[in-house]
């Protein structure tokens, strides 16, 4: 039975291969030497890697928030300090609340020197004693607890797994994901510093490198954070030029803007 199944597939693959040999665009491809020369010129035109600027360097440290990669022990220390402050507030009879940086468009600022968007100083209070914010305050405390457990155990967890730890509380993964982003802003660190990761999505291929000095990477549509961070590291640390191939429509431009 296996032989009967393989024969048609093998025959079809031979037919496809014969058709590919006569590709009309084959004659339009430039020789490898010309492509390599273009790539070398593109590489040499890239500026050298410069020192990464901070908000302090551009005079915005007092009006904007710096979100950086932090070591796991520093994240743990910040969470413990925050919880200690909350405990003191509860013991004094004042309850507790979180000062959550606003991530609205009105509180965002593009800094050309940093070539990225940062958050300004606007915040909102997430009070446990307020009916309208008590649930989000509870979710925020639960996320902080989970992140602290990850820090002490030095393990990583997917966002989907975080949702399943308290399904009745979170109700929807979009809510736990949003509060997770809030927590990273409260601690002033990147989400990856919290040992929280998204599901595997990006793919990188270097076989192609044997013919051309290129690394091909795809996020299968909208890029996740890990794929964007990997691309950024290759760009910043290895000083590699980055080229994008997307559909020539609004969706393709959206994907390009997310990478940017």
């Amino acid at each position: 039975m296996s032989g009967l199944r393989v024969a048609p597939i093998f025959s079809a693959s031979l037919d496809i291969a014969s058709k590919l040999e006569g590709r009309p665009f084959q004659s339009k491809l430039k020789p490898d030497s010309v492509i390599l020369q273009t790539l070398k010129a593109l590489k040499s035109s890239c500026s050298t890697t410069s020192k990464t600027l901070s908000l302090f360097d551009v005079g915005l440290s007092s009006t904007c928030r710096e979100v950086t990669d932090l070591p796991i022990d520093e994240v743990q220390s910040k969470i413990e300090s925050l919880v200690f402050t909350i405990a003191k507030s509860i013991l004094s009879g004042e309850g507790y609340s979180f000062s959550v940086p606003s991530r609205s468009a009105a509180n965002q600022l593009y800094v050309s020197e940093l070539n990225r968007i940062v958050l300004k100083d606007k915040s909102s209070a997430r009070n446990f004693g307020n009916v309208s914010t008590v649930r989000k305050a509870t979710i925020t405390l639960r996320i902080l607890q989970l992140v602290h457990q990850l820090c002490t155990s030095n393990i990583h967890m997917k966002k989907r797994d975080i949702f399943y730890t308290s399904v009745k509380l979170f109700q929807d993964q979009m809510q736990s994901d949003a509060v997770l982003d809030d927590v990273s802003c409260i601690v002033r660190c990147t989400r990856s510093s919290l040992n929280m990761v998204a599901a595997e999505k990006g793919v990188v291929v270097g076989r192609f490198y044997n013919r051309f000095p290129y690394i091909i990477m795809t996020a299968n549509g909208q890029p996740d954070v890990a794929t964007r961070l990997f691309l950024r590291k290759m760009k910043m640390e290895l000083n590699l030029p980055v080229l994008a191939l997307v559909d020539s429509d609004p969706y393709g431009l959206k994907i390009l803007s997310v990478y940017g």
Side-chain angles (χ1 to χ4, degrees), residues 200-240:
E200 297 86 352
K201 187 180 180 184
V203 179
V204 61
V205 177
R207 298 184 296 278
F208 188 70
Y209 192 88
N210 293 332
R211 183 176 181 187
F212 301 116
Y214 251 61
I215 299 172
I216 301 178
M217 185 168 66
T218 178
N220 298 304
Q222 286 289 350
D224 55 306
V225 174
T227 304
R228 295 186 332 237
L229 285 175
F230 183 66
L231 179 64
R232 177 177 171 79
K233 279 189 174 292
M234 289 198 296
K235 167 65 180 174
M236 302 301 293
E237 298 184 12
L238 302 179
N239 193 32
L240 297 177

Side-chain angles (χ1 to χ4, degrees), residues 135 139 163 166-176:
R135 186 168 171 276
I139 294 176
F163 166 70
S166 306
V167 175
K168 289 185 178 180
L169 174 63
F170 298 143
Q171 295 183 359
D172 187 282
Q173 188 181 342
M174 291 182 64
Q175 297 189 41
S176 59

Side-chain angles (χ1 to χ4, degrees), residues 13 47 68 83 89 99 113 145 147 159 175 183 223 245 247:
S13 62
S47 58
T68 58
V83 173
S89 179
S99 178
E113 294 87 348
Q145 178 192 16
V147 172
K159 293 195 298 181
Q175 297 189 41
V183 167
L245 181 63
D247 293 335

Side-chain angles (χ1 to χ4, degrees), residues 71-81 83 143-157 193-196:
I72 190 171
D73 56 341
E74 190 170 344
V75 173
Q76 180 179 339
S77 177
K78 283 195 170 189
I79 293 177
E80 291 172 353
S81 177
V83 173
I143 294 290
L144 284 169
Q145 178 192 16
L146 292 171
V147 172
H148 187 265
Q149 291 176 357
L150 295 179
C151 292
T152 55
S153 304
N154 195 20
I155 59 176
H156 290 73
M157 184 178 285
S193 298
L194 302 177
N195 278 13
M196 297 280 190

